[in-house]
Structures are given as C-alpha cells and as structure tokens.
Amino acid sequence: PKSFEPWRESYLRLLVYGRGWTRYKGVGGVDFWSALDEVRHDYETDSERTYLTGGSMGGAGTWYLATRSPGVFAAVAPLCGFTDYRLDYGSTNAKAEWEHRVYRAHDALTGAENLKNTPVYFLHGDQDHPNDFGAGVDVEHSRRMAARLKELGIDYRYDELPGIGHGIPAEYYRKAEQWLLQQRRVKDPQNVVLETSSLRYNRCYWVEVEGLREHFRESRIEATVENSSVNLHTKGITRFALHRSNVTAVRIDGQPV
C-alpha cells in the first residue's frame, strides 16, 4: 500500500490477503501460515524478530492468530480489530450453548491469556462504530480486550485516538511499526499458559497439547519451571508433551509423576 512506502527499512514485509472476508480463520489462516512458511524457506529471517500487525480485518486477524499461536511472534500490533464475537453482527444471533462454544473457539477475547509472553500494542479510534451495512469495528472491541488483559495482569499498551472513526491514520501505523521493531521475542519463558478448544492450535513455546477431553470445550494448561522442576495445572487436557531439556521432576495438578 502507498501509505507504507516511505517506511521501508531493512526488513521483509509480507502482506497476506487471506482469501477475502475470512478474518484469517479457516482457509484464510491456511493461506497466512503457508505464506509465512514460504518466506522463511526462501529468505534468511530472524525468528526472534517476526512481527504481526494489521488494521480492520487485518486487526481481527492479528488478534486471532496471536492468541492462537503464542510464542511465534516477537510482538503484535492489532489496529481497530474485532476481539469479542458477542459484539459482532451475525454472531450476536447465537442462542444455543453449542453455538457459543463454536464462536468462542475463534474468539480473541477468549484466548487473551495466551498473550502472556507477547508484547501487545493496539490502537482504535474512539469514534469507530459500525454502520447499518456492517462497515466499521466498534471501539468497544478494543476496550473489552484492554479490560480483559488488565484483569489477567498482562502488560499491554493501548492508545484510543480521539475523533478518529474506522481506520488508523498513517502516522499511527508508523508509530505502531516503530514500536514493533524495538521488541524481541521472549525466548524461554519460565511460565506459559495455553487456552485452547482445538488441537489445530496446540503449542505454546515448550508446551504442546496432544489430547483434549472434548473438542470445542475450553481447555487450559499452565506450566511453570523452577530450576529443573515443572509444575503443571490442567483443565480438560488428556495428553501433552514438554519440549524442554533437563527436566528432572514434574507435578501435574499437585501430583508428582
């Protein structure tokens, strides 16, 4: 896009459309990961400095991909993106419990705790509200995410832009981009959390979930390292793997293994 041209620096920029109006879920997500894999194969890239950002649908995709793939990105900057399905037109019609479970499986707000070790900077205009045709993303999406991250004790940066409707002015894109470039991936966190309801996204740093008691039911695993011991708390997890060396002791839900 023209707005990005003056900002070119010594890095690669990958723009993935993601099959149109998918918000980078389903086939849109397949396109994203395939494109990223190709770039990593064809170019020498730094896995400690891989960033994710986007606006509007790209903002929704940034939230979704970041909350479903913790540990992949050094930092993320979602801009005026969807976070809470309960605010979204269409999905607000969900009535049955199974419908809510399906929506939560793809909901950024539900997976917010997965951002524990990922620096996050997000922006939204305070006058952004969807019109009768569904264009626009209500600023309440970002406000709810900010409240949820604060509740979880997760560090974040949020700027709400006064007088701005849908879309982020170029100077703020630049500001977010410069912030991203200052961040580095957390290499070896001692405490990791993964909330998931599907094995499609089942990895968080050195913890991999291999079995769920029930798919599309929210499950959680938290792992903490102290010296050579790992303490785990699980919910709905039937099988997992620890990709970590020099582990001499493991406790699962208070029980030694």
Side-chain angles (χ1 to χ4, degrees):
K2 275 190 174 180
S3 59
F4 286 109
E5 288 177 2
W7 307 350
R8 289 177 181 164
E9 299 183 30
S10 57
Y11 58 86
L12 296 172
R13 184 188 300 278
L14 173 63
L15 303 176
V16 184
Y17 191 51
R19 306 278 186 103
W21 191 250
T22 67
R23 300 183 189 175
Y24 301 91
K25 303 173 184 179
V27 293
V30 171
D31 271 12
F32 173 84
W33 294 113
S34 296
L36 183 59
D37 286 343
E38 284 195 34
V39 169
R40 286 174 165 172
H41 178 269
D42 293 343
Y43 299 91
E44 184 178 347
T45 63
D46 185 353
S47 62
E48 309 306 321
R49 300 184 67 193
T50 300
Y51 309 105
L52 184 62
T53 187
S56 192
M57 185 177 73
T62 298
W63 280 122
Y64 174 69
L65 294 167
T67 55
R68 294 311 183 274
S69 305
V72 173
F73 304 105
V76 298
L79 312 173
C80 57
F82 297 89
T83 67
D84 187 347
Y85 78 95
R86 294 169 298 181
L87 292 172
D88 198 0
Y89 65 93
S91 53
T92 53
N93 295 323
K95 298 293 191 298
E97 192 268 345
W98 68 265
E99 292 178 289
H100 288 282
R101 287 171 58 187
V102 171
Y103 278 119
R104 284 197 299 268
H106 302 93
D107 187 54
L109 198 67
T110 302
E113 194 171 9
N114 293 342
L115 297 170
K116 180 178 178 64
N117 295 296
T118 303
V120 182
Y121 177 29
F122 54 112
L123 301 93
H124 214 130
D126 71 350
Q127 298 303 306
D128 192 354
H129 305 288
N131 59 29
D132 293 339
F133 301 99
V137 177
D138 199 309
V139 64
E140 184 65 19
H141 281 276
S142 288
R143 291 172 178 171
R144 289 192 181 186
M145 180 59 85
R148 179 60 177 152
L149 293 174
K150 182 177 181 180
E151 178 185 17
L152 292 167
I154 296 175
D155 289 336
Y156 66 92
R157 179 177 175 181
Y158 173 49
D159 285 347
E160 192 166 297
L161 311 179
I164 301 298
H166 190 56
I168 300 297
E171 61 268 28
Y172 291 102
Y173 270 102
R174 177 60 169 169
K175 182 179 179 181
E177 184 172 76
Q178 289 303 307
W179 176 86
L180 285 171
L181 294 173
Q182 296 172 14
Q183 311 304 316
R184 298 295 182 273
R185 177 177 174 270
V186 178
K187 291 184 179 181
D188 186 30
Q190 302 299 290
N191 176 261
V192 297
V193 176
L194 179 64
E195 290 195 45
T196 186
S197 60
S198 169
L199 294 180
R200 182 184 183 92
Y201 293 114
N202 66 334
R203 182 82 181 247
C204 179
Y205 287 95
W206 42 272
V207 174
E208 180 180 9
V209 174
E210 297 181 337
L212 300 175
R213 184 169 295 117
E214 185 179 359
H215 283 255
F216 289 96
R217 180 76 69 181
E218 288 151 38
S219 304
R220 182 181 186 275
I221 185 169
E222 179 174 4
T224 304
V225 175
E226 186 173 348
N227 299 321
S228 61
S229 299
V230 178
N231 190 31
L232 298 115
H233 296 281
T234 68
K235 173 188 174 184
I237 308 293
T238 60
R239 183 176 175 180
F240 62 86
L242 302 179
H243 300 276
R244 191 177 185 89
S245 60
N246 302 319
V247 174
T248 60
V250 175
R251 295 179 68 89
I252 304 174
D253 298 324
Q255 300 299 316
V257 177

